[in-house]
Amino acid sequence: MASVVEYKGPREGYRCGYCDAPEGKVSSGMWAHSMTVQDYQDLIDRGWRRSGKYVYKPVMNQTCCPQYTIRCRPLHFQPSKSHKKVLKKMFKYLSKGEFSKGNNEEEPMDSQMDDAGMHDFALKSKLDIKSDQRPLSEDCHEIKESKVKEKEDLEPKETKMLNKSHAKQEKLGSGEPSGSVKVVPSTPKPGKGADLSKPPCRKAKDIRKERKRQKLILKSQTDQVQHEEKPKLNQPKSIEDFIFDTLPDKSAHQLEVRLVPVSFEDPEFKSSFRQSLSLYAKYQMAIHKDTAAECGEAEFTRFLCSSPLEAENPPNGPDCGYGSFHQQYWLDGKIIAVGVIDVLPYCVSSVYLYYDPDYAFLSLGVYSALREIAFTRELHEKTSQLSYYYMGFYIHSCPKMRYKGQYRPSDLLCPETYVWVPIEQCLPALENSKYCRFNQDTKAVDEERIKELDRLRVLYKRTIMPYNIYKKRQKGPSDEAIVQQYADLVGQTCSERMLLFRS
């Protein structure tokens, strides 16, 4: 299976949807009749992006609003304060049916769920301490009794005998004061000496010291265990902790997220198509002010239901396989949002999101992005190389499009050398210039630049051939300039794998 593409060349002089410049947008494009997931992965790592089956790449140093490919690193992602606010808002709505009116971005953090969690932890701690103290008090009581017993056992026999003699003389005395009774101590009989078969006698003081030392050792070990467990309890909550927090038994709403392959042969996709189309039209007319004709069935199918990606299900791949999907958000039995995504060898790539404007108070754009980050982390557990979340283009020159930079850590793609650079290093340069080369190594070049154009593969008259053979069979004027342009944009590896259709 090979990708088949038809290069359309550069397109310029059309309206920009970001700055509204009437003729400011410039890009190169190609029509993908079919495409493998690996080829598309390599293309987006060179700044390409698809819209339906049309794959395009902005001409970065010419277009009015340079569009930099951005990717998030989900394995190290920690939700920000605003992200947590959105997740808590969704939980509150699902569990209680409550939502805040007004400007959602300005509402305070909802600490109710955190307080409840802290209360549960405090209660658990008190119960644990209480249960731990009971055996400890019993031990102390036993120690106290044993000390008394030891004191009695260790008392010298001579003293005991003397005391008994005193008591006897006082009890049987002849009327004289007990203090004047003369007692003639009997000489102890010679013994056989210490019994070497028994352990030597220990003083009560030494035994107390030993017991105290054992208690200190035990306390030290207990403190160490608690110290090791404490950081785990105090770790910041992960994105999964918020998303998959258990709802109460009688929650107000039920949310289900379904991953559906983009294929009319799939029964679930086919059965939900009409509802999904209706939602798309409602979204486009309310948010983007499209007319009904501009968001009809044909446009919807071309834009979001037609994909050039060939589905693949390799044994070492994710359970869902690779390809294009609709991630549907079902609330109480109806679709309220759809995230269009591509699952590729190294990433989940976000294509588009449309949602019901009636539920805008739930910040579904942010919520779906966080769900897709969590989904990427889930896929990574099965397929280790799949570890990035591509958010499309970052457009610094358009303030409304800077929100993607809030999902940290993230990287931007250098438009000249195609290496990834942390966004923190890129922002200072973007403040000074719309177009920037992010790679600070001035000697670095595009490692995938074309070295041998003759190895490029061509599909000509239903026959696959290298470009040097095609040139000999070609009739009419040479098309080497346009083929060279295509090869420079897709890189050496893709040019040797993909088939460039020539008529």
Coordinates of all heavy atoms in Angstrom, one line a residue, residues 270-316:
K270 N -22.4 5.4 10.9 CA -23.5 5.6 10.0 C -24.8 6.0 10.7 O -25.5 6.8 10.3 CB -23.7 4.3 9.2 CG -24.6 4.4 8.0 CD -24.6 3.2 7.2 CE -25.6 3.3 5.9 NZ -25.6 2.1 5.1
S271 N -25.0 5.3 11.8 CA -26.3 5.6 12.6 C -26.3 7.0 13.2 O -27.4 7.5 13.5 CB -26.5 4.5 13.7 OG -25.4 4.6 14.6
S272 N -25.1 7.5 13.5 CA -25.0 8.8 14.2 C -24.8 10.0 13.2 O -24.6 11.1 13.6 CB -24.0 8.8 15.3 OG -22.7 8.6 14.7
F273 N -24.7 9.6 11.9 CA -24.3 10.6 10.9 C -25.2 11.8 10.9 O -24.8 13.0 10.9 CB -24.2 10.0 9.5 CG -23.9 11.0 8.4 CD1 -22.6 11.4 8.2 CD2 -24.9 11.5 7.6 CE1 -22.3 12.3 7.2 CE2 -24.6 12.4 6.6 CZ -23.3 12.8 6.4
R274 N -26.5 11.6 10.9 CA -27.5 12.7 10.7 C -27.5 13.6 12.0 O -27.5 14.8 11.8 CB -28.9 12.1 10.6 CG -29.2 11.5 9.2 CD -29.2 12.6 8.1 NE -29.0 12.0 6.8 CZ -28.7 12.8 5.7 NH1 -28.6 14.1 5.8 NH2 -28.5 12.2 4.6
Q275 N -27.4 13.0 13.1 CA -27.3 13.8 14.3 C -26.0 14.7 14.4 O -26.0 15.8 14.8 CB -27.4 12.9 15.6 CG -27.5 13.7 16.9 CD -27.7 12.8 18.1 OE1 -27.5 13.3 19.2 NE2 -28.0 11.6 17.9
S276 N -24.9 14.0 13.9 CA -23.6 14.7 13.9 C -23.6 15.9 12.8 O -23.1 16.9 13.1 CB -22.5 13.7 13.5 OG -21.3 14.2 13.7
L277 N -24.3 15.6 11.7 CA -24.4 16.6 10.7 C -25.2 17.8 11.2 O -24.8 19.0 11.0 CB -25.0 16.0 9.4 CG -25.5 17.0 8.3 CD1 -24.4 17.8 7.8 CD2 -26.2 16.3 7.2
S278 N -26.3 17.5 11.8 CA -27.2 18.6 12.4 C -26.4 19.5 13.4 O -26.5 20.7 13.4 CB -28.4 18.0 13.0 OG -29.2 19.0 13.6
L279 N -25.6 18.8 14.2 CA -24.8 19.5 15.2 C -23.8 20.4 14.5 O -23.5 21.6 14.9 CB -24.1 18.5 16.2 CG -23.2 19.1 17.2 CD1 -24.0 20.0 18.2 CD2 -22.4 18.0 18.0
Y280 N -23.1 19.9 13.5 CA -22.1 20.6 12.7 C -22.7 21.9 12.1 O -22.1 23.0 12.3 CB -21.5 19.8 11.6 CG -20.7 20.5 10.6 CD1 -19.4 20.9 11.0 CD2 -21.2 20.8 9.4 CE1 -18.6 21.6 10.0 CE2 -20.4 21.5 8.4 CZ -19.1 21.9 8.8 OH -18.3 22.6 7.9
A281 N -23.9 21.8 11.5 CA -24.5 22.9 10.9 C -24.9 24.0 12.0 O -24.7 25.2 11.8 CB -25.8 22.5 10.1
K282 N -25.4 23.5 13.1 CA -25.8 24.4 14.2 C -24.6 25.2 14.7 O -24.6 26.4 14.9 CB -26.4 23.6 15.3 CG -26.9 24.5 16.5 CD -27.6 23.6 17.5 CE -28.1 24.4 18.7 NZ -28.8 23.6 19.7
Y283 N -23.5 24.5 14.8 CA -22.2 25.1 15.3 C -21.7 26.1 14.3 O -21.3 27.3 14.6 CB -21.2 24.0 15.5 CG -19.8 24.5 15.8 CD1 -19.4 25.0 17.1 CD2 -18.8 24.6 14.8 CE1 -18.1 25.5 17.3 CE2 -17.5 25.1 15.0 CZ -17.2 25.5 16.3 OH -15.9 26.0 16.5
Q284 N -21.6 25.7 13.0 CA -21.0 26.6 12.0 C -21.8 27.9 11.8 O -21.3 29.0 11.7 CB -21.0 25.9 10.6 CG -20.0 24.7 10.6 CD -18.5 25.2 10.7 OE1 -17.8 24.8 11.6 NE2 -18.1 26.1 9.9
M285 N -23.2 27.8 11.9 CA -24.0 29.0 11.7 C -23.9 29.9 12.9 O -24.0 31.1 12.8 CB -25.5 28.6 11.4 CG -25.6 28.0 10.0 SD -27.4 27.7 9.5 CE -27.7 26.2 10.5
A286 N -23.8 29.3 14.1 CA -23.8 30.1 15.3 C -22.4 30.7 15.6 O -22.3 31.9 16.0 CB -24.3 29.3 16.5
I287 N -21.4 29.9 15.4 CA -20.1 30.4 15.8 C -19.3 31.1 14.6 O -18.7 32.1 14.8 CB -19.2 29.2 16.3 CG1 -19.9 28.5 17.5 CG2 -17.8 29.6 16.7 CD1 -20.2 29.3 18.7
H288 N -19.4 30.5 13.4 CA -18.7 31.0 12.3 C -19.6 31.8 11.3 O -19.1 32.2 10.3 CB -17.9 29.9 11.6 CG -16.9 29.2 12.4 ND1 -15.7 29.9 12.8 CD2 -16.8 28.0 13.0 CE1 -15.0 29.1 13.5 NE2 -15.6 27.9 13.7
K289 N -20.9 31.9 11.6 CA -21.8 32.7 10.8 C -21.9 32.2 9.4 O -22.1 33.0 8.5 CB -21.4 34.2 10.8 CG -21.1 34.8 12.2 CD -22.3 34.6 13.2 CE -22.0 35.1 14.6 NZ -23.1 34.8 15.5
D290 N -21.8 30.9 9.2 CA -22.0 30.3 7.8 C -23.5 30.3 7.5 O -24.3 30.3 8.4 CB -21.5 28.9 7.8 CG -19.9 28.8 7.8 OD1 -19.3 29.9 7.8 OD2 -19.4 27.7 7.8
T291 N -23.8 30.3 6.2 CA -25.1 30.1 5.8 C -25.5 28.6 5.8 O -24.6 27.8 5.9 CB -25.3 30.7 4.4 OG1 -24.5 29.9 3.5 CG2 -24.9 32.1 4.3
A292 N -26.7 28.3 5.7 CA -27.1 26.9 5.7 C -26.5 26.1 4.5 O -26.2 25.0 4.6 CB -28.7 26.8 5.6
A293 N -26.4 26.8 3.4 CA -25.8 26.2 2.2 C -24.3 25.9 2.4 O -23.8 24.9 1.8 CB -26.0 27.1 1.0
E294 N -23.6 26.7 3.2 CA -22.2 26.5 3.4 C -21.9 25.4 4.4 O -20.7 25.0 4.4 CB -21.6 27.8 3.9 CG -21.6 28.9 2.9 CD -21.1 30.2 3.5 OE1 -21.5 30.6 4.6 OE2 -20.3 30.9 2.8
C295 N -22.9 24.9 5.1 CA -22.6 23.8 6.0 C -23.6 22.7 5.8 O -24.1 22.1 6.8 CB -22.6 24.3 7.4 SG -24.0 25.3 7.9
G296 N -23.8 22.3 4.6 CA -24.7 21.2 4.2 C -24.0 19.9 4.3 O -22.8 19.8 4.7
E297 N -24.7 18.9 3.8 CA -24.2 17.5 3.9 C -22.9 17.3 3.1 O -21.9 16.7 3.5 CB -25.2 16.5 3.5 CG -24.8 15.1 3.5 CD -25.9 14.1 3.2 OE1 -27.1 14.4 3.2 OE2 -25.5 12.9 2.9
A298 N -22.9 17.9 1.9 CA -21.7 17.7 1.0 C -20.5 18.4 1.6 O -19.4 17.8 1.6 CB -22.0 18.3 -0.4
E299 N -20.6 19.6 2.1 CA -19.5 20.3 2.7 C -19.0 19.6 4.0 O -17.8 19.4 4.2 CB -19.9 21.7 3.1 CG -18.9 22.5 3.8 CD -17.6 22.8 3.0 OE1 -17.7 22.6 1.7 OE2 -16.6 23.1 3.6
F300 N -20.0 19.1 4.8 CA -19.6 18.4 6.0 C -18.9 17.1 5.7 O -17.8 16.8 6.3 CB -20.9 18.0 6.8 CG -20.7 17.2 8.0 CD1 -19.9 17.6 9.1 CD2 -21.3 15.9 8.0 CE1 -19.8 16.7 10.2 CE2 -21.1 15.1 9.1 CZ -20.4 15.5 10.2
T301 N -19.3 16.4 4.7 CA -18.7 15.1 4.3 C -17.3 15.4 3.7 O -16.3 14.7 4.1 CB -19.5 14.4 3.3 OG1 -20.9 14.1 3.8 CG2 -18.9 13.0 2.9
R302 N -17.2 16.4 2.9 CA -15.9 16.7 2.3 C -14.9 17.1 3.3 O -13.7 16.7 3.3 CB -16.0 17.8 1.2 CG -14.7 18.2 0.5 CD -14.8 19.6 0.0 NE -14.8 20.6 1.0 CZ -13.8 21.0 1.8 NH1 -12.6 20.4 1.6 NH2 -13.9 21.9 2.7
F303 N -15.3 17.9 4.3 CA -14.4 18.5 5.2 C -14.1 17.6 6.4 O -12.9 17.5 6.7 CB -15.1 19.8 5.8 CG -14.3 20.6 6.8 CD1 -12.9 20.6 6.8 CD2 -15.0 21.2 7.8 CE1 -12.2 21.3 7.7 CE2 -14.3 22.0 8.8 CZ -12.9 22.0 8.7
L304 N -15.0 16.9 6.9 CA -14.8 16.1 8.2 C -15.1 14.6 8.1 O -14.8 13.9 9.1 CB -15.6 16.7 9.3 CG -15.3 18.2 9.7 CD1 -16.2 18.8 10.7 CD2 -13.8 18.3 10.1
C305 N -15.6 14.1 7.0 CA -15.9 12.7 6.9 C -15.1 12.0 5.9 O -15.1 10.8 5.8 CB -17.4 12.5 6.7 SG -18.5 13.2 7.9
S306 N -14.4 12.8 5.0 CA -13.6 12.2 4.0 C -12.1 12.3 4.5 O -11.7 13.4 4.7 CB -13.7 12.9 2.6 OG -15.0 12.7 2.1
S307 N -11.5 11.2 4.5 CA -10.1 11.2 5.0 C -9.2 10.4 4.0 O -9.7 9.3 3.6 CB -9.9 10.6 6.4 OG -8.6 10.4 6.8
P308 N -8.0 10.8 3.7 CA -7.2 10.0 2.8 C -6.5 8.9 3.5 O -5.9 8.0 2.9 CB -6.2 11.1 2.3 CG -6.0 12.0 3.5 CD -7.4 12.1 4.1
L309 N -6.5 8.9 4.9 CA -5.8 8.0 5.7 C -6.4 6.6 5.6 O -7.6 6.4 5.8 CB -5.7 8.4 7.1 CG -5.1 9.8 7.4 CD1 -5.0 10.0 8.9 CD2 -3.7 9.9 6.8
E310 N -5.5 5.6 5.3 CA -5.9 4.2 5.2 C -5.8 3.6 6.6 O -4.7 3.7 7.3 CB -5.0 3.4 4.3 CG -5.0 4.0 2.8 CD -6.3 3.7 2.1 OE1 -7.1 2.8 2.6 OE2 -6.6 4.4 1.2
A311 N -6.9 3.1 7.1 CA -6.9 2.5 8.5 C -5.9 1.3 8.5 O -5.8 0.5 7.6 CB -8.3 2.0 8.8
E312 N -5.2 1.3 9.7 CA -4.2 0.2 9.9 C -4.4 -0.4 11.3 O -4.7 0.4 12.2 CB -2.8 0.7 9.7 CG -2.5 1.1 8.3 CD -1.1 1.6 8.1 OE1 -0.2 1.1 8.9 OE2 -0.8 2.5 7.3
N313 N -4.3 -1.7 11.5 CA -4.4 -2.3 12.8 C -3.2 -3.3 13.0 O -3.4 -4.5 13.1 CB -5.7 -3.0 12.9 CG -6.9 -2.1 13.0 OD1 -7.2 -1.6 14.1 ND2 -7.5 -1.9 11.9
P314 N -2.0 -2.8 13.1 CA -0.8 -3.7 13.3 C -0.9 -4.3 14.7 O -1.5 -3.7 15.6 CB 0.4 -2.7 13.2 CG -0.2 -1.4 13.5 CD -1.6 -1.4 13.1
P315 N -0.3 -5.4 14.9 CA -0.3 -6.1 16.2 C 0.3 -5.3 17.4 O -0.2 -5.3 18.5 CB 0.6 -7.4 16.0 CG 0.6 -7.5 14.5 CD 0.5 -6.2 13.9
N316 N 1.3 -4.4 17.1 CA 1.9 -3.6 18.1 C 1.3 -2.2 18.2 O 1.9 -1.4 18.9 CB 3.4 -3.5 17.9 CG 3.8 -2.9 16.5 OD1 2.9 -2.9 15.6 ND2 5.0 -2.5 16.4

